[in-house]
Amino acid sequence: MRAYVGVTDGDWYRFLAARPSLKEVNFWRPAGSRAFRALSPGEPFLFKTHHPHNRVVGGGFFSGFAQLRISEAWSLFGDGNGVPSLAEMRRIVGRYRREAIADSDDPVIGCVLIRDTVFFAADRSAEPPPEFASNIVQGKGYDLAARTSAGYFEVLVGRLLGASVDVDLSQPWHRPGPTYGDPRLSPYRLGQQAFKAVVLNAYGRRCAITGDRIQPVLQAAHIRPLPAGGEHRIDNGMLLRSDVHTLYDQGYLAVDPKHRLLVSPRLRAEFGNGEQFYSRVGTQIAVPEAVRDRPHREFLEWHLDEVFKAA
């Protein structure tokens, strides 16, 4: 199991600490060129202020990383970006980049997405973790199996959970959370907005079935929906055009475990059209580059068995 301690701007954390109802936040970075790979979804992420305050003031659980345009980050997370408006977010990003953002520009930023956030009361903030040098400006990852850090993080993870925890930190472990259906620990569960962000990012902003890139009509679709026991997991998602999403949810379209498109004969029988889909039957849909992010066989088979109108 790993944890990460990110260095935060004081205004960002104070803005969010004053809004305890926000449980999903964007720990954004002004440059979007470098991906964040220090954690797996569900592992703890702590917020530490700059010197001279230099205290751990809260944290949450890593939910995913996405490279988003500033407008996309604002649309998905709003106040969860730690600022009161899109204009203010653009101003602050420009300040960190040391160059004002032109009105016509919408640059990409790195979005480290954190769920189930908790901010500590001022008198309960913590000292920095062991071996956290004063010249670290972004953050530092920790292996919680190491003796020098295990006790420190066990206490802080307990604070994030609101209870003491008895966890073998030498083994992979991830934050459980409420889901529809099966309440087992789920190492890949994301926050709701993070799910939308990472699916948009993983599919290159294109509909997996049609290839359309008109972003206002693209939606992060669940293969197995939440009320039926699904979760916000990237391998339980596909990016679909809104009408394609509806057809998929209603069983007129499906994707087999080899990621090939299937079309129900009832689409033609009931509506007398759908040729754009029949012409693609048997072709592979677009899938994310990373194998672990592609639609999972288990969820695809559930949709085929429970939703698809095969006849």
Side-chain angles (χ1 to χ4, degrees):
M1 179 182 175
R2 293 188 61 80
Y4 189 87
V5 180
V7 180
T8 176
D9 178 88
D11 291 339
W12 181 90
Y13 107 78
R14 283 188 290 269
F15 180 90
L16 293 170
R19 293 161 175 78
S21 62
L22 292 173
K23 293 300 182 183
E24 194 174 358
V25 306
N26 180 12
F27 190 89
W28 54 266
R29 296 174 167 182
S33 57
R34 180 180 294 183
F36 179 83
R37 298 187 176 92
L39 299 178
S40 296
E43 292 183 320
F45 189 110
L46 296 165
F47 310 133
K48 188 196 80 69
T49 55
H50 290 283
H51 283 266
H53 186 255
N54 196 34
R55 304 287 292 181
V56 173
V57 294
F61 296 87
F62 178 61
S63 195
F65 174 83
Q67 294 165 313
L68 301 174
R69 297 193 179 280
I70 295 178
S71 62
E72 293 172 334
W74 180 259
S75 176
L76 285 166
F77 293 93
D79 286 356
N81 289 291
V83 291
S85 68
L86 173 58
E88 180 66 4
M89 188 170 181
R90 289 168 56 84
R91 185 189 70 79
I92 295 175
V93 171
R95 185 186 73 194
Y96 276 110
R97 292 185 170 201
R98 299 180 182 178
E99 183 177 356
I101 299 172
D103 291 343
S104 59
D105 289 343
D106 192 12
V108 171
I109 59 175
C111 299
V112 182
L113 309 173
I114 312 297
R115 62 178 169 90
D116 303 324
T117 51
V118 173
F119 289 91
F120 306 145
D123 61 354
R124 298 203 71 205
S125 62
E127 293 283 348
E131 302 175 357
F132 199 100
S134 60
N135 62 349
I136 294 175
V137 296
Q138 276 203 330
K140 176 180 173 64
Y142 287 84
D143 179 355
L144 302 194
R147 291 182 180 180
T148 56
S149 57
Y152 175 90
F153 284 100
E154 186 172 353
V155 171
L156 290 187
V157 169
R159 288 196 195 177
L160 297 181
L161 294 172
S164 62
V165 289
D166 182 15
V167 176
D168 181 358
L169 297 179
S170 67
Q171 300 297 318
W173 177 82
H174 304 264
R175 165 71 156 102
T179 62
Y180 291 86
D182 191 345
R184 292 174 299 178
L185 298 187
S186 178
Y188 304 108
R189 187 174 68 85
L190 311 178
Q192 180 178 357
Q193 298 306 110
F195 173 77
K196 297 176 184 178
V198 298
V199 169
L200 181 72
N201 203 69
Y203 283 83
R205 294 164 170 76
R206 288 177 180 266
C207 174
I209 290 176
T210 68
D212 283 282
R213 300 185 64 177
I214 304 173
Q215 193 164 323
V217 299
L218 296 179
Q219 298 175 348
H222 291 87
I223 300 169
R224 182 169 183 165
L226 301 186
E231 296 179 288
H232 297 309
R233 294 173 45 150
I234 190 169
D235 60 355
N236 185 38
M238 291 186 290
L239 191 67
L240 300 177
R241 198 176 68 196
S242 56
D243 60 325
V244 178
H245 186 181
T246 299
L247 291 172
Y248 186 84
D249 283 353
Q250 294 188 13
Y252 293 102
L253 302 177
V255 175
D256 73 13
K258 294 185 177 180
H259 303 137
R260 297 174 299 196
L261 179 66
L262 303 178
V263 183
S264 169
R266 289 175 58 177
L267 183 62
R268 180 183 286 128
E270 294 179 16
F271 305 109
N273 56 21
E275 295 308 316
Q276 63 169 311
F277 300 112
Y278 287 111
S279 66
R280 293 187 171 97
V281 169
T283 61
Q284 283 201 321
I285 68 166
V287 295
E289 183 177 343
V291 174
R292 67 180 180 277
D293 294 341
R294 295 174 184 173
H296 196 285
R297 182 184 192 94
E298 174 186 342
F299 305 129
L300 294 172
E301 289 179 342
W302 178 90
H303 183 271
L304 286 171
D305 293 340
E306 302 295 331
V307 181
F308 184 53
K309 303 177 187 292

